[in-house]
Amino acid sequence: MHAPLCWWQQGVFYELIVRSFQDSDGDGSGDLPGLIARLDYLQWLGVDVVWISPIYASPMAEGGYDVADYTAVNPLYGSLDDLDRLIAEAHDRGMRVIIDFVPNHTSDQHPWFQQARASRDSPRRDWYLWQDAGLGGRLPNNWVSSFGGSAWAWDHVAQQYYYHAFLPEQPDLNWRNPAVQAAVADAMRFWLDRGVDGFRMDAIWHMLKDDKLRDNPPNPGFAPGQHPDERVQSVYTRNLPEVHAVIAQLRRVMDAYSDRLLAGELYLPPEEMARYYGAHAPELHLPLNLQLTAQTVWTPEAIAGLIEAYERALPVGGWPNWMLSTHDNARIASRVGEAQARVAAMLLLTMRGTVAIYYGDELGMPNTDIPPELAQDVFERMVPGLGRDPGRTPMLWDDSPHAGFTTGRPWLPLGDHAARNVAAQRRDPGSLLALYRSLIALRRQEPTLVEGTYATAQRDEQVLAYWRVGERGRLLVALNMGGLPASLALPRGTTGRILLSTALDRAGDAVAEIVHLRGDEGLIISCA
């Protein structure tokens, strides 16, 4: 028998942007009281873990990822009391709460940075990365920002350049400084002491930079239209070997508490991602696997190859995880289409390990067109066409004028809430929402879907099929990733019974010899 799984291993996570989930006071922005009011919906859906975007005090230059106080709640979202109530109400429903934490950088309005820039003799000067200008004001090196342009900004007060991996309003902390490490650890303890169940660490692979400030090599394959930081190969600004020791320190902070989770954002291939479990000391419980959010083409061959590579790369004891969309990427329904969004749901919720749903994906919410004058994401204003607002629009609760999200003017335009919303899909037994709820319930009923082994059964131009085998039986998942009918042959002597179809209309049907799939259909089959 295996040891019992932790809550974060068997649970279904649900990532949401607080500002886009539910407004309680009519100002057009979602808030913590609004989220609390919608916990019953998440419980009905079957969610185990609520993962919320940053709620810290912030000037909101970058959606709250520019933190001005790690231990205060932004009044836009409510108060510390509201956060405490969210945790208590979620726990009362048997759900956990994890929050985004931003260790790589602060806001330029944070007192730490304000003190650092005031004087070269400031005790906090070395909390950030400062460099003198070269001859003629020359930049320290060729490092580039993720939002375009140089990653070095001139500070007229400090009379030096400082490094920012993202916006100039987000100066990077100097993680080689033990005082920084201690201060951030204290901030983590503040939230852990309040009952937060864990953290998703933002941009964790950025936390250390080359101490020799060597130029990054140019990227010979860079072409116009690509992400601006792909102009160089970021070998000296990301994924440095020394970062693992720092993350191990963060893990020790977590391990001083009972049953907490440390997850981290990583845009890395499986073999690199796997190193963040920790080769010499424990690091992340979950190095977040973002390969299905934008990195992998939607074909049976590509997805099967990814799953197999990921499974091979996992270290002994390493627990896998999967997600289809995040706040930084286009929504899955816009990437694969409405019909394949059902197949994608079945793929996600039949994968081994921990899975995370991005809010609204259970409705098939697509990206929403945002007129330029209404854009909120600074990335869109800096690099038109690459903004993330289209995937961050408010949740669609009903077909009322403001979709049940607010009584005021929504902070971002609403999607087509007459076409899709929670209220309508809850009434429709064949809706995508009904499929998500059925998949989550089946995942809870069939432990094989969480912890059983994976083996590819078939992959061709149209069909991806795989076995999930556990102590209680074996399941075949067959996904038709094309619009035409398809089929696959069962092994000789194998019979089965359909547990769930993406159309929610074939449960209980027997199958033998040949499994027939309609276009854009997925099946979960219990096999004898």
Side-chain angles (χ1 to χ4, degrees):
M1 293 290 289
H2 298 295
L5 296 179
C6 299
W7 60 267
W8 52 267
Q9 292 176 303
Q10 57 190 322
V12 172
F13 287 49
Y14 189 94
E15 183 199 355
L16 61 90
I17 297 173
V18 175
R19 194 175 187 185
S20 289
F21 202 61
Q22 179 65 59
D23 175 23
S24 71
D25 58 11
D27 67 355
S29 288
D31 46 44
L32 292 169
L35 170 53
I36 292 167
R38 294 296 187 180
L39 286 177
D40 286 344
Y41 164 75
L42 297 179
Q43 185 178 30
W44 170 85
L45 182 60
V47 167
D48 302 289
V49 183
V50 183
W51 158 12
I52 65 174
S53 59
I55 42 77
Y56 313 101
S58 167
M60 301 294 286
E62 216 285 280
Y65 287 90
D66 50 319
V67 177
D69 187 340
Y70 281 110
T71 59
V73 169
N74 190 331
L76 180 70
Y77 301 130
S79 65
L80 274 173
D81 287 343
D82 293 325
L83 193 282
D84 291 341
R85 189 159 61 92
L86 170 65
I87 295 169
E89 296 245 8
H91 287 176
D92 285 347
R93 292 168 173 79
M95 294 188 285
R96 310 278 182 147
V97 176
I98 69 170
I99 62 177
D100 261 1
F101 196 93
V102 189
N104 179 69
H105 49 266
T106 69
S107 166
D108 62 352
Q109 301 304 304
H110 197 294
W112 296 348
F113 186 76
Q114 291 298 311
Q115 294 160 20
R117 71 193 293 243
S119 166
R120 293 194 183 213
D121 298 324
S122 168
R124 290 209 164 101
R125 185 68 161 200
D126 193 40
W127 284 39
Y128 296 86
L129 301 169
W130 300 95
Q131 285 296 312
D132 289 327
L135 290 175
R138 186 168 51 86
L139 294 166
N141 58 25
N142 75 342
W143 294 354
V144 297
S145 160
S146 290
F147 292 140
S150 174
W152 295 98
W154 179 255
D155 187 273
H156 66 92
V157 175
Q159 290 293 296
Q160 281 187 305
Y161 284 107
Y162 65 88
Y163 177 79
H164 57 93
F166 298 95
L167 292 178
E169 293 88 348
Q170 295 170 287
D172 279 41
L173 287 163
N174 176 13
W175 271 92
R176 298 183 189 277
N177 186 334
V180 168
Q181 299 167 13
V184 172
D186 284 344
M188 292 168 62
R189 294 185 189 102
F190 176 86
W191 297 106
L192 294 168
D193 289 342
R194 298 190 91 86
V196 165
D197 295 291
F199 300 110
R200 175 265 192 190
M201 292 288 183
D202 180 67
I204 200 163
W205 57 324
H206 284 262
M207 286 169 55
L208 284 184
K209 278 62 87 169
D210 181 51
D211 56 0
K212 298 182 178 65
L213 301 183
R214 286 171 284 188
D215 278 358
N216 278 320
N219 179 2
F222 180 75
Q226 285 185 261
H227 203 285
D229 66 0
E230 293 180 13
R231 285 198 292 116
V232 297
Q233 302 173 54
S234 301
V235 297
Y236 294 121
T237 48
R238 299 178 188 170
N239 196 30
L240 269 63
E242 307 99 292
V243 78
H244 296 282
V246 171
I247 298 173
Q249 291 181 24
L250 301 181
R251 175 62 179 271
R252 288 193 287 273
V253 174
M254 305 298 293
D255 287 348
Y257 292 78
S258 174
D259 208 18
R260 308 300 173 95
L261 170 70
L262 187 65
E265 177 191 32
L266 296 164
Y267 283 95
L268 291 170
E271 59 275 9
E272 287 291 319
M273 190 192 323
R275 296 177 184 174
Y276 285 79
Y277 289 98
H280 304 293
E283 295 179 35
L284 300 175
H285 294 98
L286 292 179
L288 292 178
N289 173 14
L290 302 171
Q291 295 298 302
L292 285 179
T293 66
Q295 315 301 305
T296 305
V297 295
W298 194 252
T299 65
E301 183 67 30
I303 292 175
L306 166 64
I307 298 169
E308 292 164 5
Y310 185 44
E311 289 282 348
R312 285 194 304 269
L314 288 168
V316 174
W319 189 253
N321 65 94
W322 298 89
M323 58 195 74
L324 296 171
S325 306
T326 75
H327 62 285
D328 282 331
N329 304 104
R331 286 187 175 276
I332 185 66
S334 287
R335 300 202 317 270
V336 304
E338 188 169 353
Q340 279 293 302
R342 286 180 170 263
V343 175
M346 185 167 281
L347 171 71
L348 176 68
L349 286 155
T350 57
M351 289 276 65
R352 187 172 84 89
T354 298
V355 297
I357 299 166
Y358 184 53
Y359 82 98
D361 277 2
E362 74 271 27
L363 305 177
M365 280 175 60
N367 282 7
T368 300
D369 290 335
I370 308 294
E373 67 273 14
L374 297 180
Q376 299 290 322
D377 183 9
V378 68
F379 195 18
E380 176 64 22
R381 298 196 292 270
M382 296 176 73
V383 190
L386 292 183
R388 299 156 297 177
D389 287 339
R392 298 179 173 185
T393 54
M395 184 69 170
L396 307 177
W397 295 104
D398 58 39
D399 61 0
S400 64
H402 296 301
F405 166 70
T406 183
T407 57
R409 180 181 178 179
W411 77 284
L412 275 175
L414 298 169
D416 186 356
H417 55 293
R420 73 188 75 245
N421 61 70
V422 170
Q425 292 201 24
R426 284 187 74 159
R427 294 191 297 267
D428 178 3
S431 68
L432 179 59
L433 179 60
L435 174 61
Y436 265 91
R437 189 168 186 248
S438 296
L439 284 163
I440 292 170
L442 183 62
R443 189 174 177 88
R444 185 169 286 116
Q445 175 187 329
E446 296 281 351
T448 297
L449 289 175
V450 178
E451 58 186 308
T453 60
Y454 169 95
T456 303
Q458 178 172 319
R459 61 187 191 197
D460 55 34
E461 290 184 355
Q462 202 165 325
V463 174
L464 169 61
Y466 46 89
W467 292 100
R468 300 300 316 283
V469 179
E471 295 176 353
R472 292 172 51 176
R474 60 177 180 156
L475 304 175
L476 178 67
V477 180
L479 306 175
N480 187 350
M481 301 178 72
L484 299 175
S487 62
L488 71 153
L490 292 176
R492 184 181 299 274
T494 299
T495 59
R497 178 177 58 86
I498 295 174
L499 298 180
L500 196 64
S501 76
T502 50
L504 295 168
D505 62 353
R506 295 177 66 180
D509 288 1
V511 294
E513 297 184 1
I514 303 294
V515 176
H516 296 285
L517 293 161
R518 295 171 291 195
D520 302 307
E521 182 180 41
L523 299 174
I524 303 173
I525 304 167
S526 177
C527 292

